[in-house]
Structures are given as structure tokens and as C-alpha cells.
Amino acid sequence: MMAEALAAAGIGLRVVLMQQSAIADAVAARVEVSTPVTAFKRMQEGVFLFRNNVDPYDGGLFHQAPFLLALFHAVDERAMKIIFILVDVLISVLLLGIARTRAAQFEKQTWVESSKTSGGKSNDPTIPSDAPLDHKFVAAAYLVNPLSILTCLARSTLVFNSLAVVAAVFAATRGSRVASMFFLSFAAYLSVYPVMLILPFGLLIAQAKKLDPLQSIFSCSVFFAACLMAWLGLSNLLMGSWNFVANTYGVILLVPDLTPNIGLWWYIFIEMFDQFRLFFLIVFQVFVFAFSVPLTLKFNEHPMFLVGLFLIIIAAFKSYPSVGDVALYIPFVLMYQELFKYMKRLYVIVNLGAYSLVLLPLFYNLWIYAGSGNANFFYAITLVVGMGQVLLISDYVGGMVRREWERVGGGSGANGLRARRVEVVLK
């Protein structure tokens, strides 16, 4: 009942606060929630230009995908408020299904000492007892998360990207290659970075359908490329030109708009000399994708874990991040609650997140409105946000490595006890 109550509270808060136009507009103006590529106000500008037969991509203001432009053009603004709430509810429903699948996989895990006993259970005290995953809590945690509520209130178009990613994960856990790549290609069509999720999605589908992983990844790549080309081709037909490419994907990759956000890019490129800009653009963009292959090779037996890990990496290192990116990966982290006991810096990470939520708006106001601070104040807190997410990545990976080391025989049973005794002697 607690999960249902939390979910109802999250939906109720969205309904009530969305009716308060002043609150919604104030949240939409916050740089922590809205970015140049997801802001509702910029979408309104684009729709106004489109309705007056002016190409919104001719200027340097509008940077969102043509299909989103068509959606906002076709739907009344009052109805869009309902759509944003429904999108969040749909995301939570899909997360519920994903968490249920993850819970079933978790129940099937066996430890090396328990593999010979019925039901995979053992009285060995060196084998930790894990609480079962509550899939309802995972879905409710998304709805009640203040970051997802703020993103919904701001009417940030990031929620459509989140919906596409979660729908793709849901389809992949069911072994549906076509549906998964359809939704993943739409997510990449909106924001580029989800392209790195092809690898874990291929592994998820291979796991669900008992296929060869390499063949599954290759076939997923083919379907993904075909769907993405279809999205781009249809966008060309809708807009009548390819101008949208430079003003959507070009902006994400080349970062010409240096509006402050919670990421690491904007301040660095404000201070960057022009002759070094291209080099560091390449370095920063490559850095986001550089982890994909090595992490996939390391954790190829845990594709759902990889999905959550890649979402953290995207949120930490993409060019225009917002709090909505953090809200998306939190449910996937919660699906691996058994790792928390292996994570050494979880307390520090949680506190960094809490401090950042308080200090980000405070230091931004000191800089922009009070005039008693400068850009360094706000950027210092974005560095804290980045540090917290980097610590989460390292602790999340370390927790999985330590747990797997124990589970498959490195640290459980007699072998594990011997290893610990040797460690004590060496100390």
C-alpha cells in the first residue's frame, strides 16, 4: 500500500501544481530543469514561427526535433499539460514492468555454495541475504521523485526522450527487437546520446530470447540504423529541408549555445580559446562514448545493469544535462538495491546530491539576480554535481564487481573465508 500511496501522491502533485501557471512558468525558467535543447519556451517560439510559415530552424533559437514540433503544433497548449502528466504515468508503468522482470532475474541468481542445494538456498553464513526487489516501489520512486516532478512542471521535452528510452528497455526485456530499436532510435533522434545503448539492448534481447550476443547486437544495429534513417527522412518531408539537422544535432554535438546548465561543458567552452575549441569538443564527445565497449565487455552478463550505468554516464557527461536526466537513471539504480551494501561511498553521494539541490538555485540567484556572486559560484556547484555522479559511477561499478566476485566463488564459502584469513594475516 505504501508504494501505491506514493504513486498517487506523485500524480496528485503533478495535477495540482500544473494548474498553477505561475509555479509552472517559474520552474520552466530554471536552468537546472530546462536546457536550450529541451526548454518549453523555446518550443513555444518554434511553434509560433512554424504556424506563421517561418522555418524555425533558420535562426539560432530553436533546437528540437521536427516531430516534437509537429506534436506541439497539433495539440492545444492546455491539453499538453495533461499529456506531460500522462507521459510520466506511462513511464512509471513501464518501469513497473521492467522492475518486475529484474526481480524475477534476481530470484534466479545462485551463489557458488548454494548451487548444489534445492532452490538455490543455503545456510552458509558467508552468503548475504538480500531483501527481494519491490517492483512497485521502483515505479513509485519515479513518480514521487522531486526531480521528475520539476521536469514535468517545466514541460521539458526531455520527458519524451525518457519515455522512448524506458519503452525501449521494456520492449528489450520482452525480446522484441523491432519495438526496442524503434523506440531507441526515436530517443537517439531526439537527443543523440542514447545511441550508446545499442550494446546493452542487444544483450538484453539475446538474454530474453537465448540468442548469440554478437548476432543480436549486429541485428539490433541494423534495425536501429533503418529506423533512425526513417525518422530523419520523415522529418525532411515534414520540414521540406534538412535545415533541422544542423540546428538540432549540430547544436548537441558542437555546443554553440553556452547557456548555463548543471553540466560541465558550458563554462569550459566560454573560457576556451577558439583555436582549441574543436579539439576539446572532440575530446569531450568521445569521452561520453568511450566507456561503452569496455564496460559492455566487462558486464556482458548484466545488460540491465549496463543500461543504468550508461544512463548515469550520459547524465554526467552530455553537453546539455538537466535534473530530468538524473530522475531517469535513479529507478534503474534502485533495481540493483542489493549492490548498496557493497557501495563504500553511498552516504557521500547522497549528501552531495542533497547539497547540490539546495545550492544550485541559491548560487544561480546570487550570480544572476542578487549580483553578489559570479559564474564561478554556480559552476563550482555544477562541479559538485559532476563529482557526485562520477563517484556514483565508480561506486556502482565497484559494488557490482565486489558482489560478483563473492557470488561466483571469489568471496563466498570456504574459498572466501580463506581469502579473508590471508588478508587479515597480511595486514
Side-chain angles (χ1 to χ4, degrees):
M1 291 297 294
M2 178 62 72
E4 289 85 346
L6 288 174
I11 296 172
L13 276 173
R14 285 169 170 80
V15 173
V16 171
L17 294 176
M18 195 68 86
Q19 304 307 314
Q20 308 298 319
S21 299
I23 295 176
D25 291 342
V27 174
R30 299 300 309 181
V31 296
E32 302 92 343
V33 185
S34 299
T35 69
V37 296
T38 62
F40 178 68
K41 288 185 176 180
R42 299 207 182 202
M43 176 59 76
Q44 288 179 309
E45 291 285 345
V47 169
F48 177 80
L49 294 173
F50 187 68
R51 287 174 176 171
N52 287 275
N53 299 317
V54 178
D55 187 351
Y57 298 103
D58 278 345
L61 182 67
F62 185 68
H63 309 304
Q64 304 187 46
F67 271 96
L68 288 180
L69 177 67
L71 173 64
F72 280 78
H73 168 68
V75 179
D76 182 73
E77 187 172 324
R78 287 171 294 183
M80 283 306 304
K81 295 181 179 180
I82 300 174
I83 290 177
F84 275 100
I85 297 173
L86 292 177
V87 167
D88 265 3
V89 172
L90 182 55
I91 289 173
S92 70
V93 172
L94 293 172
L95 285 171
L96 180 67
I98 296 168
R100 188 178 287 117
T101 302
R102 163 65 189 145
Q105 293 173 348
F106 177 69
E107 288 297 322
K108 295 177 183 177
Q109 281 189 351
T110 57
W111 292 67
V112 66
E113 290 296 317
S114 62
S115 59
K116 297 179 183 179
T117 63
S118 60
K121 303 296 181 183
S122 173
N123 294 324
D124 187 347
T126 65
I127 298 175
S129 58
D130 296 307
L133 174 64
D134 185 352
H135 51 273
K136 293 181 180 179
F137 174 74
V138 172
Y142 177 81
L143 285 175
V144 80
N145 188 341
L147 303 182
S148 66
I149 294 174
L150 288 173
T151 305
C152 180
L153 285 180
R155 290 154 289 173
S156 168
T157 56
L158 181 66
V159 299
F160 296 100
N161 178 77
S162 300
L163 175 61
V165 170
V166 174
V169 178
F170 180 83
T173 58
R174 268 57 182 175
S176 177
R177 180 184 296 109
V178 175
S180 178
M181 291 303 103
F182 174 82
F183 289 116
L184 182 61
S185 65
F186 186 68
Y189 162 79
L190 295 180
S191 61
V192 178
Y193 294 103
V195 68
M196 66 191 292
L197 295 172
I198 290 177
L199 295 175
F201 278 30
L203 295 176
L204 270 174
I205 293 169
Q207 191 178 76
K209 301 185 73 174
K210 304 296 188 291
L211 301 175
D212 178 71
L214 290 178
Q215 291 182 356
S216 178
I217 291 173
F218 176 77
S219 59
C220 284
S221 301
V222 172
F223 276 108
F224 175 87
C227 291
L228 185 58
M229 290 300 105
W231 288 118
L232 294 174
L234 291 173
S235 297
N236 178 46
L237 292 176
L238 177 65
M239 301 305 302
S241 71
W242 292 100
N243 289 345
F244 70 91
V245 173
N247 276 288
T248 51
Y249 314 115
V251 169
I252 293 172
L253 296 174
L254 300 178
V255 199
D257 192 320
L258 298 175
T259 302
N261 54 65
I262 66 169
L264 305 173
W265 295 52
W266 63 274
Y267 187 82
I268 292 175
F269 284 97
I270 285 175
E271 302 294 332
M272 184 72 63
F273 292 111
D274 289 342
Q275 58 265 39
F276 301 118
R277 196 175 196 279
L278 179 60
F279 170 76
F280 281 100
L281 272 175
I282 295 171
V283 171
F284 275 52
Q285 295 289 6
V286 170
F287 186 77
V288 182
F289 297 93
F291 301 98
S292 303
V293 174
L295 287 175
T296 302
L297 291 174
K298 174 63 179 177
F299 299 109
N300 60 83
E301 296 181 356
H302 305 279
M304 188 70 76
F305 171 80
L306 282 174
V307 171
L309 183 58
F310 285 4
L311 290 176
I312 303 173
I313 292 172
I314 291 172
F317 301 121
K318 67 188 291 189
S319 52
Y320 294 105
S322 70
V323 296
D325 295 292
V326 179
L328 176 60
Y329 70 65
I330 287 177
F332 290 94
V333 173
L334 293 177
M335 290 182 200
Y336 282 84
Q337 61 183 16
E338 71 272 16
L339 300 184
F340 292 170
K341 68 182 71 173
Y342 297 92
M343 295 171 68
K344 298 180 178 180
R345 291 177 288 272
L346 190 58
Y347 177 79
V348 175
I349 293 166
V350 172
N351 276 277
L352 285 175
Y355 296 153
S356 299
L357 286 177
V358 174
L359 293 178
L360 275 169
L362 177 62
F363 278 31
Y364 185 78
N365 286 346
L366 286 176
W367 171 30
I368 298 298
Y369 299 110
S372 56
N374 54 39
N376 295 328
F377 281 58
F378 184 69
Y379 188 63
I381 303 305
T382 66
L383 290 176
V384 173
V385 174
M387 181 175 66
Q389 294 186 111
V390 170
L391 286 176
L392 177 58
I393 292 168
S394 63
D395 224 18
Y396 197 46
V397 170
M400 175 59 81
V401 170
R402 282 187 285 272
R403 179 181 170 81
E404 285 302 290
W405 182 77
E406 289 192 356
R407 189 178 71 83
V408 301
S412 63
N415 292 334
L417 288 174
R418 276 196 298 272
R420 282 190 282 275
R421 289 193 190 105
V422 170
E423 185 180 2
V424 171
V425 171
L426 289 175
K427 286 180 179 179

